[in-house]
Amino acid sequence: MKPTAGAPAPAAERLERPVTALRGVGAALAERLGKLGVSRIADLLFVLPLRYEDRTQVSPLGRLASGQRAAVEGEVLLTEVVYRGRRQLLCRIADGSGMLTLRFFYFSAAQQANLARGTRLRCFGEVRRGPAGLEMVHPEYRRVGSQAVPLEETLTPIYPLTEGVPQGRLRALVGEALRESERSALRDWIPPAAGLPAGLPSLTEALAYLHRPPREAQLAELAAGRHPAQRRLAFEELLAHHLSLKVRKRALKTDPAWRLADEAQLARRFLAALPFALTGAQQRALAEAERDLTAGVPMTRLVQGDVGCGKTVVAAAAAARAAGSGFQATLMAPTELLAEQHWRNLRDWFHPLGETVALVCGSQGARARRSALAAIAAGEVRIAVGTHALFQEGIEFARLALVIVDEQHRFGVQQRLRLTEKGQKDGRLPHQLIMTATPIPRTLAMTAYADLDISVIDELPPGRTPIHTVVIPEQRRAEVVLRIVEACRAGRQAYWVCPLIDESDELRVQAAEETAASLSAALPGVRVGLVHGRMPSAAKDAAMLAFKAGKIQLLVATTVIEVGVDVPNATLMVIENAERMGLAQLHQLRGRVGRGTEASTCVLLYRAPLAPLARERLRVIRQSSDGFEIARRDLALRGPGELLGTRQTGLAQLRVADLMRDADLLPQVQEAAEVLLASYPQNIAALAARWIGADERYGRVG
Ligand code: ADP
Ligand code: MG
């Protein structure tokens, strides 16, 4: 079993045949297999087991314990249909050491007849305690004759199922693919020159091992995804994804883009008019963006920085450069609330400089929207702020040169790509500036965002005082209400974030309304306002404006205020049912306070009893205010999938690899990618096809 890395072995084509070339696979089965991503025989090898079972030895019935998954053998003593609440088939077996009941809720008459007294059965299933001793519910079983039937020699793989493809059938098909691969080795698209990490098996060996692990294999190591065979595949999968992103970036960088020279010096004038100076980190990020904007190829830059580090001004300065060069820039925000806030900020900044800023969002009045769109299409407005409504069909920009996406973790890769296509004009792609507060470690970011250049703002504006976070049980709500009175009396403002009772908007809104009503009854001297996602835009706007202007002192809100909202005079935040929220969300929410020079407090109310994980999360958020640190702890608590979000990176659906667990492979993934790009470009499309499939997102690969 030697992998071939050079010229294609002719026999390898056997594996490239459609699955229908296998005996007994017709069109119907092929279609169902398609749902597992299988169309060619080789694809079967990449349907990897979810877990394994040890059926290599038979356990005596007398030694079974509840909770154990085991293979057993015994002779049927009795089979009967009984009614215990519902109709069921019970079959009692014995092996001399003990007895076991098999319980079936779904069964046929033929099945019943097959389980006659005296029949020998081999069963596999989970042992549990039943009403009359140990039992297995719906075990896998087969009849065995008087002679000893050989046991499995390897661990039994359990595959992900898709409707209409039974486990046994899939196992057999993978077995056939494995036999084919013994005759004609699978092509290994990673040439020796690309340097596989030391100690990893060949591709063929890795696959053979994972589909048929030997009896002595370490199940714990396999379950943790740390076996060298898994790492071999993880390396290849990460490489495939990384390469496809790099190829995409490379393709993009061959396109021409406008050079934004800012003849009008608008960016300089914008910065000079700000009431503060940029921090060093902001200056660095802006300088990097400006270098890209003047280079003549499309910028694709990600600005990463913790909540409150001041990404908006950096974006605005870039927009100023576009406008000052006679082009248009647009800033897209994930919520209307944030879009409106950005619009007001930009309007206030740019109005004195003679620039009009337009707002486009889904819920604004038809008339206002139509006139904004007309002005954008005519090129009368050079800076437009909005939600994704900005990129719906039918919206035309006259001279769009820069697309800024704020809080991009809320958008998908797809949306981002669509948006650049929209801006394509005269064969030129707009520049992209993407802003995110989701902190991920650098090597990880370089792989996950390989299609982007990355700037990091790792410094907060001066004069911020750290937020004091306290965790308090709900019973002490009254104390918390007193704190609001104190804050308001001191001329400060507060947020009250309502619980996530349900996924339904309706119920959230209702809860927010009730909370607002009860708080305003409890706080007679305090002006209470309310915002939630279902409010008409004008009402939401009015509430936010009133809060910003200090006319509302306590703002009761749903998590709509999670991203971006900026009111520096707000120094107290109360979050109800904090135990239900994830760390990233709590960190984002808390980032709404601590934006001024005054000390801020965040009160996390929880409902007892706390589950251990919830307790740990609250402890982390109380102890740390550093987004990177919180992200790291979050990863340790629950794994990377959720934190990174599956939508925001190009590495949406990893099958074997895990960005965090396999992070140590990343430097070598990056090196190998360079080798393939330089010397084996023809292998890249094949790798992408194997691991990513013909996903349209990767259309430009290869
Ligand atoms: P985020 O990075 O979370 O989007 P914002 O852009 O909303 O942060 O900025 C947070 C607050 O900090 C805003 O009120 C903004 O005006 C202010 N700010 C930004 N940069 C500076 C700076 N260099 N000095 C002082 N305040 C700043
Ligand atoms: Mg922001």
Side-chain angles (χ1 to χ4, degrees), residues 172 458 461 529 534 664 685:
D458 52 4
R534 282 283 184 90
D664 63 311

Side-chain angles (χ1 to χ4, degrees), residues 128-370:
R128 61 167 218 188
R129 192 158 301 286
L134 295 178
E135 62 178 36
M136 283 183 182
V137 177
H138 280 274
E140 281 184 46
Y141 70 91
R142 60 197 266 211
R143 287 153 49 113
V144 290
S146 44
Q147 288 117 326
V149 173
L151 279 157
E152 304 282 338
E153 283 171 5
T154 63
L155 297 182
T156 304
I158 307 295
Y159 292 100
L161 282 180
T162 185
E163 206 177 317
V165 189
Q167 191 63 243
R169 190 74 215 272
L170 190 54
R171 210 176 281 145
L173 286 172
V174 173
E176 283 189 55
L178 281 172
R179 272 189 295 283
E180 289 284 354
S181 78
E182 277 165 24
R183 283 199 274 159
S184 59
L186 192 67
R187 292 257 348 234
D188 187 341
W189 300 109
I190 307 178
L196 216 52
L200 299 188
S202 75
L203 178 63
T204 313
E205 284 162 353
L207 288 168
Y209 188 94
L210 291 177
H211 288 292
R212 298 285 182 267
R215 197 181 305 185
E216 66 281 4
Q218 294 297 316
L219 280 176
E221 192 182 32
L222 284 169
R226 294 207 166 267
H227 190 277
Q230 289 163 313
R231 283 168 60 79
R232 168 63 180 78
L233 297 186
F235 181 82
E236 181 167 326
E237 183 176 36
L238 289 169
L239 180 61
H241 280 271
H242 183 65
L243 276 168
S244 72
L245 291 171
K246 282 200 98 100
V247 167
R248 188 158 82 195
K249 175 168 166 185
R250 217 176 237 210
L252 191 76
K253 298 280 181 191
T254 60
D255 289 327
W258 304 109
R259 286 177 199 274
L260 305 180
D262 193 11
E263 293 83 358
Q265 298 273 300
L266 189 60
R268 195 186 50 74
R269 287 187 281 134
F270 164 77
L271 292 173
L274 282 177
F276 48 75
L278 295 188
T279 62
Q282 284 171 316
Q283 280 170 16
R284 253 190 331 271
L286 182 58
E288 285 163 356
E290 287 182 329
R291 209 178 48 220
D292 295 346
L293 291 172
T294 49
V297 293
M299 168 170 83
T300 48
R301 185 164 290 279
L302 179 77
V303 175
Q304 220 191 324
D306 209 347
V307 279
C309 72
K311 293 181 288 293
T312 317
V313 265
V314 172
R321 168 165 292 274
S325 311
F327 288 93
Q328 289 172 309
T330 183
L331 168 55
M332 182 164 93
T335 63
E336 302 216 333
L337 206 60
L338 191 50
E340 284 158 26
Q341 175 188 284
H342 279 328
W343 171 69
R344 270 192 297 274
N345 276 339
L346 267 64
R347 185 196 57 189
D348 295 349
W349 282 331
F350 284 107
H351 183 72
L353 304 172
E355 279 298 321
T356 313
V357 179
L359 173 67
V360 178
C361 60
S363 65
Q364 74 190 147
R367 172 114 52 82
R369 183 169 155 148
R370 214 173 316 121

Side-chain angles (χ1 to χ4, degrees), residues 256 258 327 398-399 423-429:
W258 304 109
F327 288 93
R399 301 194 81 195
Q424 182 151 20
K425 264 255 153 88
D426 312 325
R428 281 164 209 257
L429 282 173

Side-chain angles (χ1 to χ4, degrees), residues 54 57-74 93-95 97-102 123-129 133-137 139:
D54 187 349
Q57 49 196 340
V58 165
S59 307
L61 294 178
R63 271 201 243 134
L64 293 179
S66 170
Q68 181 186 357
R69 296 184 68 82
V72 297
E73 220 170 275
I93 62 169
D95 70 349
S97 78
M99 287 200 293
L100 180 73
T101 302
L102 314 179
C123 315
F124 187 87
E126 185 175 336
V127 181
R128 61 167 218 188
R129 192 158 301 286
L134 295 178
E135 62 178 36
M136 283 183 182
V137 177

